[in-house]
Amino acid sequence: MITEVSGHTLLVFVGIPALVLAVVALLVFAPSIANGPRYRPGLSWWAPPVWINGPTATKPDPAKLPDQHSLPELPAAPGATASAGAGVARSTGGASASW
Amino acid sequence: MPAGDAFTPDQLYDIEKAVRHAEEVSGLHFSVYVGGADSETRPFALELLNELDDPDHTVLVYVDPAGRRLEIVTGAVAKRQLSDAAAGLAALSMQTSFATGDLTGGLVTGVQQLGEHAHQAPLLHANEPHKQ
């Protein structure tokens, strides 16, 4: 026996569940939509470089800086590595890690 | 947030706040760079350090999210305040957060730790160069 489906029945059994699903989905995905793509280790990195507290525009001209050899002698820390960056022999320390 | 940016403004604010706090506590300059390296990460991080205004008094945190590498570089003077062991501890903490995808949390925690480790109680004349 086929019964006639009224608009009210459709609203109760289809409309309301669909509305509930939509609200739940919105609550789940809202944070990621608001925050944009999230970093996932192992996947490619999409964003341009960010330098916080980087060099200022008023940095003095390197050519006018005193000769590196005139820097005061500093005691070397254990495990320190010698910097070869930018052709400057500057004693540095620090640590490395990977994940 | 514009599509494609690494951090939201709130996240950037949190990181900058941690950097400022670390600088106030330690008296050193802190800088954070997040991006890919043109070469090997350590030499690249050293190049970045040398581009800064006062490399000797600077602690640079370099994060390569694509290569999953972290470098903490301390300048010639900064390394006397922040030992390699202390930097290694902070690196370990950051590494844990980064592995779960939390770049901001890792940076904030790591920079705070670096600042705390580099903190030195003020001692009269102890840190001044010897004068003759």
Side-chain angles (χ1 to χ4, degrees), chain B residues 26 39-40 51 53 56 59 107 120:
Chain B
S26 66
S39 56
E40 291 292 316
E51 286 182 33
D53 299 340
D56 289 339
V59 178
L107 284 171
Q120 286 189 331

Side-chain angles (χ1 to χ4, degrees), chain B residues 4-5 14-15 22-24 26 28 30 33-34 36 41 53 56-57 63 75 78 97 108 112 118-119 125-127 129:
Chain B
D5 281 1
D14 288 342
I15 298 169
E23 288 185 336
E24 287 170 10
S26 66
L28 297 173
F30 278 76
Y33 185 95
V34 180
T41 50
D53 299 340
D56 289 339
H57 292 82
V63 182
S97 294
V108 169
Q112 281 175 346
H119 171 68
H125 313 299
N127 292 329

Side-chain angles (χ1 to χ4, degrees), chain A residues 81-92, chain B residues 46-47 49-50:
Chain A
T81 56
S83 162
V88 178
R90 177 178 278 121
S91 176
T92 60
Chain B
L46 291 168
E47 283 179 24
L49 180 75
N50 288 328

Side-chain angles (χ1 to χ4, degrees), chain B residues 14 16 20 28 30 32 43 51-52 54 60 66 71 73-74 76 86 89 93 102 104-107 119 123 128 130:
Chain B
D14 288 342
E16 286 168 356
R20 280 197 303 272
L28 297 173
F30 278 76
V32 176
E51 286 182 33
L52 292 168
D54 188 5
L60 174 77
E71 298 285 348
V73 187
T74 51
L89 280 175
S93 166
D102 187 8
T104 308
L107 284 171
H119 171 68
L123 297 174
E128 292 181 1
H130 180 66

Side-chain angles (χ1 to χ4, degrees), chain A residues 32-79:
Chain A
S32 59
I33 292 170
N35 293 331
R38 179 175 176 270
Y39 170 59
R40 297 180 189 281
L43 300 181
S44 61
W45 180 245
W46 68 92
V50 177
W51 200 340
I52 298 163
N53 223 7
T56 58
T58 56
K59 182 178 179 180
D61 184 1
K64 295 177 182 174
L65 290 175
D67 187 10
Q68 294 298 326
H69 298 292
S70 65
L71 288 173
E73 287 291 330
L74 296 166

Side-chain angles (χ1 to χ4, degrees), chain B residues 82-100:
Chain B
L82 184 66
S83 68
D84 291 351
L89 280 175
L92 196 63
S93 166
M94 297 165 86
Q95 179 188 29
T96 307
S97 294
F98 294 160
T100 61

